[in-house]
Amino acid sequence: MRLLIMGPQGVGKGTQAALISKNLGIPAISTGDIFRYNLKNETPLGLEAKAYIDKGLLVPDELTNKIVKDRLAKDDASNGWILDGYPRNDSQVAALDSILEELGTPLDHAIALNAERSVLMDRMKKRAEIEGRADDTPEIIAKRLDVYEHETAPLIDIYRKRGVLVEIDSTGGIESISEHILDALK
Ligand code: AMP
């Protein structure tokens, strides 16, 4: 199965993507994780992306689209995948469409997770304490949520209109949210 998981920062995309990945036996691919890995290892890609990530801005599409294109062409992605954190704007939607057309593998579903802003802020504060992510400071969190609201949230409508959207309330426990998602995908 080929899936997107969408929703604001702190909604639990990474957690749910990992559970779905395990349950369906498909890789969870997070563009944020790929960037963080490259930052940590100070690769040319990491160095180029750093200025944007540190400010809570989107890394330029050209760079991001290429990463996704290369990753989806790998062997372990041939039976499906769940993409977390991509696409994030209109141009990335168009890029993903053409990547999938080239590979001849259409998208099955886009999962949209929703939660109240107060729940999101609480979860992100906790994550900042546990993981110590450099971009989890209050100012950068606010910037990332703004970017999400302006550029990424409108994309949910695109997938709704295409008839592939699955919307899930993400306020309960981790296991029950995961069950809801898996039920909805059946
Ligand atoms: P995330 O962990 O998904 O919140 O991503 C962390 C940061 O990586 C974001 O704030 C962006 O700077 C960058 N990033 C991740 N995914 C994308 C994407 N699809 N397009 C552009 N930048 C991205």
Side-chain angles (χ1 to χ4, degrees):
M1 194 154 348
R2 287 173 292 275
L3 305 168
L4 306 180
I5 189 156
M6 311 178 77
Q9 285 78 6
V11 82
K13 293 189 297 291
T15 305
Q16 293 302 329
L19 291 172
I20 294 166
S21 153
K22 203 168 149 201
N23 196 285
L24 300 180
I26 52 176
I29 300 171
S30 152
T31 44
D33 282 351
I34 296 174
F35 284 130
R36 276 184 289 281
Y37 174 87
N38 282 277
L39 270 180
K40 202 172 140 213
N41 291 289
E42 297 182 344
T43 66
L45 169 68
L47 296 174
E48 206 171 336
K50 183 173 169 29
Y52 301 93
I53 295 174
D54 283 352
K55 293 192 189 104
L57 301 173
L58 294 184
V59 175
D61 293 332
E62 219 180 84
L63 215 57
T64 310
N65 293 336
K66 181 166 182 337
I67 289 173
V68 173
K69 186 172 182 185
D70 292 348
R71 183 63 188 85
L72 294 187
K74 293 216 165 126
D75 281 351
D76 70 329
S78 61
N79 284 326
W81 33 259
I82 176 160
L83 254 180
D84 163 11
Y86 182 94
R88 266 181 130 108
N89 58 25
D90 284 333
S91 124
Q92 294 184 8
V93 170
L96 180 62
D97 286 346
S98 67
I99 293 169
L100 296 186
E101 202 173 314
E102 226 173 273
L103 292 170
T105 54
L107 184 74
D108 292 296
H109 294 288
I111 303 158
L113 299 180
N114 312 308
E116 305 254 332
R117 197 176 167 110
S118 60
V119 175
L120 302 177
M121 293 303 285
D122 272 1
R123 285 192 189 156
M124 273 197 284
K125 271 190 226 148
K126 277 195 198 121
R127 183 172 76 185
E129 283 162 19
I130 297 166
E131 294 180 14
R133 264 175 61 165
D135 61 349
D136 267 347
T137 65
E139 296 76 24
I140 301 174
I141 286 172
K143 181 71 204 165
R144 283 158 56 217
L145 279 173
D146 282 351
V147 171
Y148 175 79
E149 272 163 32
H150 287 109
E151 299 200 42
T152 310
L155 308 185
I156 290 175
D157 233 22
I158 296 179
Y159 293 103
R160 182 181 291 116
K161 284 185 186 134
R162 293 185 187 181
V164 294
L165 191 71
V166 167
E167 279 182 283
I168 305 284
D169 178 23
S170 186
T171 35
I174 289 173
E175 295 295 333
S176 92
I177 297 165
S178 168
E179 272 170 33
H180 281 143
I181 298 174
L182 290 165
D183 277 352
L185 294 178
K186 273 180 195 153

